């Protein structure tokens, strides 16, 4: 009977460890995904994202001629800057980075 109790406790411990590892992985993937969305919401060129870059390009026709060069400079800055969450030694979290992490 002692061996059965130890087997039950060992099985419960393994189930709990598997649950905690799965929970940890899901939470980390969720945070990485949400952080990558920040980058996408800022720098995406697609209409569906309504990103800062897209909205800036959409307003280009509404800018007065004397302000057009400043507006183009702003758009170049948005394209060149990496907006989003930055992790030291890794860089800005993008969907490309998250996809590579999820494959592992």
């Amino acid at each position: 009977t002692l061996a059965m109790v130890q087997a039950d406790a060992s099985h419960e411990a393994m189930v709990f460890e598997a649950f905690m590892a799965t929970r940890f992985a899901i939470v980390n993937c969720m945070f990485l995904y949400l952080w990558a969305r920040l980058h996408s919401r800022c720098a995406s060129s697609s209409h569906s994202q309504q990103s800062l870059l897209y909205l800036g390009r959409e307003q280009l026709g509404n800018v007065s001629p004397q302000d057009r060069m400043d507006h183009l400079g702003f758009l170049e800055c948005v394209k060149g800057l990496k907006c989003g969450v930055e992790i030291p030694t890794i860089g800005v979290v993008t969907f490309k980075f998250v996809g590579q992490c999820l494959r592992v």
Side-chain angles (χ1 to χ4, degrees):
T1 60
L2 181 59
M4 290 175 61
V5 170
Q6 286 178 343
D8 275 349
S10 174
H11 177 68
E12 287 177 10
M14 285 181 52
V15 168
F16 180 73
E17 285 181 27
F19 169 75
M20 291 304 290
T22 304
R23 180 177 170 217
F24 179 74
I26 289 171
V27 168
N28 281 336
C29 290
M30 182 181 70
F31 277 118
L32 286 174
Y33 173 78
L34 292 174
W35 287 343
R37 279 190 52 111
L38 285 175
H39 172 73
S40 177
R41 297 283 296 185
C42 292
S44 175
S45 296
S46 74
H47 174 68
S48 63
Q49 292 290 329
Q50 292 290 317
S51 70
L52 184 61
L53 183 60
Y54 175 81
L55 293 173
R57 285 182 178 162
E58 191 175 74
Q59 295 300 317
L60 189 58
N62 299 333
V63 177
S64 62
Q66 63 267 22
D67 295 332
R68 193 162 290 145
M69 290 306 291
D70 290 334
H71 194 75
L72 286 172
F74 167 75
L75 292 176
E76 288 300 316
C77 286
V78 172
K79 273 194 336 190
L81 292 176
K82 293 192 172 195
C83 308
V85 176
E86 183 175 356
I87 299 175
T89 69
I90 293 175
V92 175
V93 178
T94 63
F95 278 117
K96 181 178 177 182
F97 170 76
V98 172
Q100 291 173 351
C101 288
L102 292 178
R103 278 189 221 142
V104 173

